[in-house]
């Protein structure tokens, strides 16, 4: 069955809002669940795909503006305690249909020991249908590789910066720009595009320290990204947006959540008619907690609702064909459970959980 997800973007809508859940298999490969083509028609049984025992139990899911999905993973090359790895991807061009096989894009290192020490890939697709892949290298730096619209990959290129912590976060704005946030020991590094398809340029560093492996982000108003991470000192979830050119910088806003672990799952939906940002996290108890607040109004505070739903690894959030929020978790047995937003109650409420 499925391994505990390490990233939040594994519940993906297609162009019509039909959802697919992807998870790394415990013994390699991928497990996929596909929502029925008929609204409210349920989900497929778990489908084991792309079997390969050399694939490490990690996936980064990148969806293009055209609805294609690329799954990125790391694959061992050779045997031994620490074999080198290569970054691989597989593609799905239509919901529920077969996927391509695994294709390798190599490793930024040629030395075997260094090639064994690279981090997990993080991938996004910008508004020009350019795929961006980022990996933390053996020394803690960051390399990137891009695939153009015509399908050609360029070479691995270094992003000049001091060593970074585990947990790179890459997010695409509503206008198709990439923002890259990289936690480090003494701050946070930010790279961003001025326009889709353009180069990534370094923005001023942030003087805030994020716990490793806790950063994520989502689009908010007017093409902005709200970034979230866990504060190094307090463990609180905090929200932050880069200031507009010439604008005043504002400190990250605390949103409690210190009982949680790992990165947040994020989405937006209407709650009582208001555009709200929804946050979901796995708590140290091994169960799911959620909260919501009016988008970009962190001053309203976050009131976390703790559920009894078991949650292994990072949960996922998305909107369905009707615009309702859908929450998804992987349970201790590796199975998928989902719940939808209720529309007959005030506030953010979820229906009973469905085991898929």
């Amino acid at each position: 069955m499925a391994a505990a997800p390490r990233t939040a973007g594994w519940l993906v809508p297609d162009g019509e809002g039909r959802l697919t859940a992807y998870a790394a298999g415990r013994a390699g490969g991928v497990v996929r669940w596909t929502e029925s083509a008929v609204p409210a028609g349920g989900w497929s049984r778990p489908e084991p795909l792309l079997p390969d025992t050399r694939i490490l139990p990690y996936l980064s899911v990148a969806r293009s503006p055209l609805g294609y999905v690329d799954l990125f993973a790391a694959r061992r090359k050779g045997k031994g305690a620490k074999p080198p790895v290569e970054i691989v991807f597989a593609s799905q061009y239509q919901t529920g249909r077969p996927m391509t096989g695994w294709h390798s894009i190599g490793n930024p290192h040629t030395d075997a020991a260094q090639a064994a020490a690279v981090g997990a890939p993080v991938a996004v697709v910008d508004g020009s249908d350019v795929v961006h892949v980022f990996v933390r290298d053996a020394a803690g730096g960051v390399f990137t590789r891009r695939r153009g619209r015509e399908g050609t990959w360029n070479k691995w290129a270094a992003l000049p910066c001091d060593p970074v912590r585990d947990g790179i976060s890459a997010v695409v704005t509503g206008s198709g720009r990439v923002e890259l946030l990289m936690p480090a020991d003494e701050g946070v590094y930010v790279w961003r595009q001025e326009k889709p398809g353009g180069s990534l340029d370094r923005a001023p560093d942030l003087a805030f320290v994020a716990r490793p492996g806790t950063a994520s982000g989502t689009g908010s108003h007017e093409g902005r990204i709200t970034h979230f991470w866990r504060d190094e000192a307090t463990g609180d979830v905090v929200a932050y947006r880069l200031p507009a050119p010439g604008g005043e910088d504002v400190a990250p806003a605390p949103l409690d959540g210190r009982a949680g672990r790992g990165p947040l799952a994020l989405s937006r939906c209407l709650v009582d008619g208001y555009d709200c940002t929804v946050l979901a996290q796995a708590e140290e108890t091994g169960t799911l907690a959620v909260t919501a607040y009016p988008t970009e109004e962190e001053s309203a505070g976050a009131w976390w609702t703790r559920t009894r739903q078991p949650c292994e690894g990072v949960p996922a959030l998305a909107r369905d064909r009707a615009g309702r929020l859908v929450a998804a978790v992987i349970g201790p047995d590796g199975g998928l459970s989902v719940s939808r937003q209720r529309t007959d109650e005030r506030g953010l409420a979820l229906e009973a959980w469905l085991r898929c």
Side-chain angles (χ1 to χ4, degrees), residues 194-286:
E194 290 299 323
K195 61 181 180 179
S199 63
L200 278 165
D201 301 313
R202 189 164 180 174
D205 299 342
L206 309 181
F208 315 113
V209 183
R211 289 188 177 179
T214 66
S216 58
T218 188
S220 51
H221 296 313
E222 299 179 1
R224 292 186 291 266
I225 293 292
T226 301
H227 298 280
F228 298 84
W229 62 80
R230 299 186 188 277
D231 180 76
E232 172 83 327
T234 67
D236 274 345
V237 170
V238 299
Y240 177 83
R241 282 177 295 279
L242 294 173
E248 181 181 358
D249 199 3
V250 178
L255 295 170
D256 194 7
R258 68 188 63 179
R261 61 191 181 196
L264 299 168
L266 304 163
S267 187
R268 286 168 62 187
C269 68
L270 292 179
V271 179
D272 298 335
Y274 294 95
D275 176 5
C276 289
T277 296
V278 184
L279 288 61
Q281 67 177 8
E283 302 223 307
E284 293 293 349
T285 58

Side-chain angles (χ1 to χ4, degrees), residues 83-103:
V85 300
E86 59 184 344
I87 307 304
V88 296
F89 74 96
S91 303
Q92 176 180 294
Y93 298 112
Q94 188 176 354
T95 302
R97 301 298 297 167
M99 303 192 68
T100 69
W102 293 111
H103 301 281

